């Protein structure tokens, strides 16, 4: 039997982090709750951003949570995939733009 390192059931235990440091956990969860309230961005928009970021940082727990949350907040699968493509483009572009550093270094060494 093959078990995955990531178990989606662990999501329901996220709050348990307070067992080891209640004060910091409370501060985090208070902040987290405030961040995801509707403001200049709707909760649906924030959920799509979170889904895209989850893919960029490759967090399976976050992908699981924000796939569900995005669907519950009315996002379509097409919108969700588009958000993932935006994250992919930014992540790929961030790698490519750093090639400027490599090119500058190569030119410096070869002079």
């Amino acid at each position: 039997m093959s078990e995955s390192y990531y178990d989606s059931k662990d999501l329901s235990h996220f709050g348990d982090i307070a067992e080891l440091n209640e004060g910091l956990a409370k501060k985090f969860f208070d902040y987290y709750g405030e961040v995801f309230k509707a403001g200049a961005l709707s909760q649906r928009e924030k959920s799509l951003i979170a889904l895209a970021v989850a893919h960029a940082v490759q967090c399976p727990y976050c992908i699981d949570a924000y796939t569900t949350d995005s669907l519950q907040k009315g996002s379509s699968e097409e919108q969700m995939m588009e958000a993932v493509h935006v994250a992919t483009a930014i992540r790929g572009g961030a790698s490519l733009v750093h090639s400027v550093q490599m090119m500058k270094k190569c030119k410096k060494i070869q002079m």
Side-chain angles (χ1 to χ4, degrees):
M1 181 169 118
S2 175
E3 290 187 29
S4 172
Y5 182 77
Y6 295 102
D7 185 347
S8 62
K9 289 180 268 179
D10 289 341
L11 282 171
S12 65
H13 298 285
F14 188 29
D16 295 350
I17 65 166
E19 292 175 12
L20 298 179
N21 193 318
E22 188 174 344
L24 288 178
K26 180 179 179 349
K27 288 177 186 216
F28 172 78
F29 287 120
D30 287 348
Y31 172 76
Y32 193 90
E34 287 297 314
V35 165
F36 282 94
K37 287 182 180 178
L41 296 170
S42 70
Q43 288 182 314
R44 186 186 68 77
E45 291 167 326
K46 289 181 179 191
S47 187
L48 283 171
I49 291 168
L51 180 64
V53 171
H55 282 79
V57 301
Q58 299 177 325
C59 176
Y61 297 114
C62 300
I63 292 168
D64 185 327
Y66 285 100
T67 295
T68 300
D69 195 62
S70 291
L71 287 170
Q72 289 174 342
K73 289 188 169 46
S75 295
S76 69
E77 290 179 53
E78 182 181 23
Q79 290 170 324
M80 292 162 62
M81 184 57 81
E82 192 168 320
V84 171
H85 278 283
V86 169
T88 302
I90 296 301
R91 186 171 182 164
S95 294
L96 287 171
V97 76
H98 279 82
S99 69
V100 171
Q101 298 297 322
M102 175 203 57
M103 292 185 297
K104 285 172 38 178
K105 182 71 174 184
C106 285
K107 287 177 182 174
K108 185 177 180 180
I109 290 172
Q110 294 171 354
M111 293 182 112

